[in-house]
Amino acid sequence: MRAIGYQTPLPIENPASLQDIDLPKPVPSGRDLLVEIRAVSVNPVDTKVRRSATPDVGEWRVLGWDAAGIVVGTGPDVTDFSVGDEVFYAGAINRPGTNAEFHLVDERIVGRKPRSLNWAEAAALPLTAITAWEMLFDRLDIRRSVPGTTPSILIIGGAGGVSSMAIQLAKVLTDITVIATASRPETQDWVTSLGADHVIDHSKPLAAQVAALPAGAPGYVFSTTQTDQHLTEIVELLAPQGHFGLIDDPAELNAAPLKRKSLSLHWELMFTRSLFGTEDISAQGQLLNDVSRLVDEGRLRTTLGKNLGLITAANLREAHALIESGQAKGKIVLEGFSA
């Protein structure tokens, strides 16, 4: 089968950083689905792994986690899906990725593709939807109240893929006020279109901008990027007994300043459930089905920002370069293999 992979971590400008290759078609076992890939999207984790993870000598590392496709085979223990089902999912970080014609995935982390979306629109959703959902409702638990506050959340890096889903989920599933950060006119318009109640500029001090808003100090902050640059401001602007969550990877994170306000700290990695085979691993499949239903009801929309065309090494290198530039708006998707 056709696939895209690498053998040595290299800068994305190097053609060997991602290459078109041929690999054996995988065979499903256990609770695996064999999925014929129709579209994939690219996430920051793809670029992080490409730059840092070295495959065994002579082996190829295939990246990619987001996917939408059709089930073409099932393992003997599969109970919830059948050949022909249209699915979408975000895969597992400890297994080969979705940048291939065929892919194996545990059925418990798979959802049924929204009927109202095409392949590319559906592939844009899973990883960011899972990350946003788990942070909002499993980690921060934004449905609980923080004493003395009007329910509100600040989402830092509002135009990114995860934030684009977090804004929508918070507005659709709760009554919380959403403050999102964006620094350019086009990204400010984007987060407003997704439902953000207020937009502030993350290139300027955050605390003063939040203090000028009518909602008062927020009880929640969800930081998706540049947390180390914003940490002092986050601690200042959060309400006492508030909750702070992040998904990026600061070189260091000094949690000591959180103590004075009794702020809680939450880190989210959407691969945790699949990586450790947790007791509640099937929660990811369930939440993807909820996302699919909300999309088909017209309450959530795809966050597809750019479709770069066929799934090829050249197009994937372009996608990685766009993400590494920090200028991406919404999700970058690739669709189909050449005939």
Side-chain angles (χ1 to χ4, degrees):
M1 68 172 181
R2 288 170 291 185
I4 295 90
Y6 72 94
Q7 292 185 316
T8 304
L10 293 167
I12 198 60
E13 296 79 15
N14 190 317
S17 62
L18 291 170
Q19 302 179 53
D20 294 300
I21 58 176
D22 286 305
L23 294 174
K25 182 178 177 180
V27 177
S29 61
R31 301 191 71 171
D32 280 344
L33 306 178
L34 178 63
V35 178
E36 181 182 354
I37 299 297
R38 295 300 181 88
V40 300
S41 70
V42 184
N43 295 280
V45 64
D46 298 60
T47 68
K48 292 174 186 176
V49 173
R50 192 206 79 245
R51 295 194 302 261
S52 62
T54 303
D56 292 338
V57 176
E59 297 296 317
W60 291 95
R61 180 69 185 263
V62 176
L63 302 174
W65 287 280
D66 271 331
I70 298 176
V71 177
V72 294
T74 61
D77 300 327
V78 167
T79 58
D80 296 331
F81 293 91
S82 302
V83 170
D85 286 345
E86 297 184 352
V87 297
F88 74 146
Y89 59 90
I93 200 165
N94 56 337
R95 302 188 71 176
T98 57
N99 294 336
E101 287 186 275
F102 298 94
H103 182 252
L104 293 179
V105 61
D106 187 310
E107 67 166 340
R108 294 171 292 180
I109 60 173
V110 174
R112 297 185 182 277
K113 171 187 165 290
R115 296 185 301 275
S116 58
L117 299 186
N118 61 33
W119 296 113
E121 292 167 337
L125 292 174
L127 187 146
T128 54
I130 294 170
T131 303
W133 188 297
E134 290 184 347
M135 176 60 86
L136 294 178
F137 305 119
D138 295 340
R139 314 293 175 236
L140 292 174
D141 190 10
I142 64 171
R143 292 189 175 109
R144 62 180 161 176
S145 62
V146 175
T149 69
T150 300
S152 61
I153 183 171
L154 171 64
I155 299 175
I156 298 173
V162 171
S163 299
S164 296
M165 287 306 302
I167 292 167
Q168 294 187 79
L169 288 169
K171 294 304 297 180
V172 167
L173 298 177
T174 77
D175 295 324
I176 201 167
T177 295
V178 174
I179 309 160
T181 78
S183 61
R184 293 176 285 136
E186 60 268 31
T187 53
Q188 292 167 353
D189 290 343
W190 172 262
V191 299
T192 299
S193 74
L194 294 171
D197 299 289
H198 305 286
V199 183
I200 63 175
D201 187 345
H202 51 236
S203 69
K204 301 174 182 178
L206 299 177
Q209 295 179 80
V210 170
L213 298 175
Y220 303 92
V221 169
F222 180 6
S223 180
T224 67
T225 185
Q226 297 182 329
T227 296
D228 48 354
Q229 297 181 29
H230 299 299
L231 183 59
T232 300
E233 293 281 320
I234 290 169
V235 173
E236 180 179 349
L237 67 87
L238 258 171
Q241 302 185 87
H243 308 278
F244 163 42
L246 71 155
I247 58 171
D248 61 330
D249 301 292
E252 61 178 41
L253 185 70
N254 179 14
L258 280 64
K259 182 178 180 180
R260 184 167 179 267
K261 285 186 173 181
S262 296
L263 303 176
S264 62
L265 175 64
H266 308 263
W267 228 311
E268 158 65 15
L269 177 68
M270 63 130 291
F271 295 119
T272 296
R273 282 171 162 146
S274 57
L275 186 61
F276 293 95
T278 61
E279 186 70 22
D280 62 349
I281 185 174
S282 61
Q284 289 196 341
Q286 293 165 9
L287 76 83
L288 284 175
N289 285 332
D290 286 337
V291 168
S292 184
R293 173 180 54 81
L294 292 167
V295 169
D296 287 338
E297 290 173 355
R299 300 172 69 192
L300 290 179
R301 76 185 213 204
T302 182
T303 53
L304 190 156
K306 196 176 191 68
N307 187 331
L308 293 181
L310 294 173
I311 304 170
T312 66
N315 288 343
L316 276 170
R317 289 196 298 271
E318 181 181 352
H320 280 232
L322 278 170
I323 288 175
E324 290 177 358
S325 75
Q327 300 300 306
K329 180 185 73 175
K331 292 299 294 296
I332 300 169
V333 174
L334 291 83
E335 183 176 11
F337 289 83
S338 60

